[in-house]
Amino acid sequence: MKETPRIAIVGGGPGGLLAAQVLHGHGLAATVYDADTAVDSRDPGGTLDLHADSGQIALADAGLLPAFHALARVEGQAMTRRDHHGTLLKEFTPADDDTAAPEIDRGQLRTMLYEQLTPGTVHWGHKLTDLTTENGVHRLSFANGSTVDADVVIGADGTWSKVRRRLTDAMPEYLGVSFLDVRFDDVETQHPGIAALVGNGQLFTADGAGRAVIVQRNSNGVIRGYVAFRAEEDWAAREGVDLADCTSVREFLLREFRDWGSTVRPLLTDNDGDYVARAFTALPAPLTWERVPGITVLGDAAHAMAPFGGHGANLALLDGAELAHALHEEPSVEAALSRYETAMFARTGHLAADANAALRGFFADQPAGAQHDVPDREEELRAYEARAAEYRASRTPAAR
């Protein structure tokens, strides 16, 4: 690109940080603005797997794949399925050299990406409050009173993105399923029964009547995940549950999951710390919009979807890399943004629609004796590798 645009990235999550890293590698300056006060100022959530066909490709483009593998847990790709009485239905154990989708804690990934950037790239404590445009220049206004002018604004600001509002009126919708974040610390000592149920990777447990527990090994002896159930969005008020009172929440869960067996019941009641109530929301899918000069979005800001398939962070990383490459390779900003959005729409639309449908199907009532349609883990991993090879083969010789 002959232009030297001022690039502002709103959001210091994985996608925004990865975009900045690849842009800098291409010699394009970019600054990241994030509402958090520091990279570790809040709980970043649990673990995620980075797929060979998306997240790992982006990390390779940024030169960060070795750093990722130094932190990642290959054994975390294991998956166990049990019924709501604790009976084992199916399990998968990965080979020691299987790197199709290793696990990494979200906080570890974010910190790794941040520490690779040039000092001063990320401006913490900058919560976007307004974005206006005059004469082709975009002005970002922040809650701390500061303003910044930019030629290109990249919204990496998540599901409830303020930047996206300049592109489309689409808003996230509740998918009919709520959940409670749960955490178990020092599991081998304090929760050996739960440790045995979960194994080294992920545990799926469901009852076929709209209730499930999905938990995952994290690093440092921690297991995290969620207790999920089909409900109205205001279920706590309807049920008279005080979300700040663990006893109140546990009493509700024991009522709601009353048919669950004693083997798996500790997953509902023995968590360390507070329950954190959340809801599954997603943007309409597939979602597109007309080009708005100088503005685009990536990751959840562009295609927030249900977590089934684990695509969210992976697509955010790949979006960031592909957008950075386009800005480097195309002759103008608009050519770059058009190229990026066209490819991103095609790449993400069907994945988002499928993920949202899969979540609704998983939490729908199932016929007696039926097993939930949980993807076969071995098939998933081999598919990631096959698609990775196809993706790399499709790149032009001039790219990267």
Side-chain angles (χ1 to χ4, degrees), residues 29-157:
T31 305
V32 180
Y33 300 92
D34 193 90
D36 291 343
T37 57
V39 69
D40 56 356
S41 64
R42 61 180 171 87
D43 181 358
T47 184
L48 51 85
D49 58 336
L50 293 192
H51 304 169
D53 63 347
S54 48
Q56 290 188 52
I57 286 175
L59 290 175
D61 287 359
L64 299 179
L65 201 55
F68 163 68
H69 283 302
L71 296 169
R73 303 184 305 279
V74 170
E75 68 278 8
Q77 297 171 103
M79 180 178 287
T80 302
R81 290 177 57 193
R82 296 180 182 273
D83 68 15
H84 62 296
H85 300 296
T87 302
L88 179 64
L89 300 176
K90 191 173 184 179
E91 60 183 344
F92 165 75
T93 301
D96 292 342
D97 61 350
D98 193 333
T99 58
E103 294 282 335
I104 185 171
D105 289 6
R106 291 176 182 271
Q108 291 177 326
L109 177 63
R110 191 187 195 199
T111 298
M112 179 195 79
L113 292 169
Y114 169 64
E115 290 179 344
Q116 295 293 327
L117 288 168
T118 302
T121 297
V122 182
H123 291 206
W124 301 109
H126 282 67
K127 180 180 180 180
L128 184 69
T129 57
D130 197 18
L131 174 60
T132 58
T133 303
E134 185 174 350
N135 297 324
V137 176
H138 309 294
R139 172 155 292 185
L140 299 89
S141 300
F142 300 98
N144 61 12
S146 65
T147 60
V148 170
D149 289 341
D151 303 303
V152 179
V153 177
I154 300 171
D157 49 341

Side-chain angles (χ1 to χ4, degrees), residues 87-370:
T87 302
L88 179 64
L89 300 176
K90 191 173 184 179
E91 60 183 344
F92 165 75
T93 301
D96 292 342
D97 61 350
D98 193 333
T99 58
E103 294 282 335
I104 185 171
D105 289 6
R106 291 176 182 271
Q108 291 177 326
L109 177 63
R110 191 187 195 199
T111 298
M112 179 195 79
L113 292 169
Y114 169 64
E115 290 179 344
Q116 295 293 327
L117 288 168
T118 302
T121 297
V122 182
H123 291 206
W124 301 109
H126 282 67
K127 180 180 180 180
L128 184 69
T129 57
D130 197 18
L131 174 60
T132 58
T133 303
E134 185 174 350
N135 297 324
V137 176
H138 309 294
R139 172 155 292 185
L140 299 89
S141 300
F142 300 98
N144 61 12
S146 65
T147 60
V148 170
D149 289 341
D151 303 303
V152 179
V153 177
I154 300 171
D157 49 341
T159 302
W160 301 98
S161 169
K162 286 185 170 62
V163 177
R164 187 183 60 241
R165 296 174 190 175
R166 290 292 311 275
L167 305 176
T168 173
D169 293 332
M171 292 295 288
E173 303 169 347
Y174 177 56
L175 296 178
V177 178
S178 287
F179 64 100
L180 295 161
D181 273 359
V182 292
R183 177 187 179 116
F184 307 91
D185 297 327
D186 191 15
V187 292
E188 301 299 342
T189 301
Q190 302 298 326
H191 306 282
I194 290 174
L197 282 173
V198 175
N200 288 327
Q202 186 176 64
L203 169 68
F204 270 85
T205 305
D207 64 5
R211 289 173 289 268
V213 175
I214 304 172
V215 290
Q216 177 84 43
R217 283 271 184 172
N218 287 231
S219 62
N220 301 316
V222 173
I223 288 174
R224 298 186 66 162
Y226 45 80
V227 177
F229 44 92
R230 197 171 61 234
E232 297 295 328
E233 194 167 8
D234 60 347
W235 66 269
R238 289 171 177 258
E239 296 288 340
V241 177
D242 181 356
L243 292 170
D245 181 352
C246 287
T247 299
S248 177
V249 177
R250 285 174 180 141
E251 289 174 350
F252 162 76
L253 290 176
L254 289 174
R255 294 194 305 271
E256 181 71 14
F257 290 73
R258 57 187 172 273
D259 294 330
W260 285 48
S262 59
T263 302
V264 294
R265 205 169 297 145
L267 292 165
L268 309 171
T269 62
D270 290 8
N271 60 299
D272 295 305
D274 295 332
Y275 295 92
V276 181
R278 305 189 192 278
F280 287 116
T281 59
L283 287 166
L287 176 65
T288 62
W289 52 81
E290 297 297 323
R291 278 285 323 121
V292 174
I295 302 176
T296 194
V297 290
L298 60 80
D300 283 349
H303 41 70
M305 65 186 75
F308 275 53
H311 299 302
N314 283 283
L315 291 175
L317 291 167
L318 190 58
D319 288 350
E322 291 298 306
L323 175 53
H325 294 321
L327 285 166
H328 168 62
E329 295 164 3
E330 294 299 323
S332 68
V333 165
E334 281 312 295
L337 299 190
S338 179
R339 165 180 143 180
Y340 158 72
E341 289 186 348
T342 299
M344 182 267 291
F345 292 151
R347 180 170 60 242
T348 64
H350 67 96
L351 292 175
D354 289 349
N356 298 343
L359 181 135
R360 291 189 174 100
F362 184 84
F363 286 96
D365 289 337
Q366 305 291 327

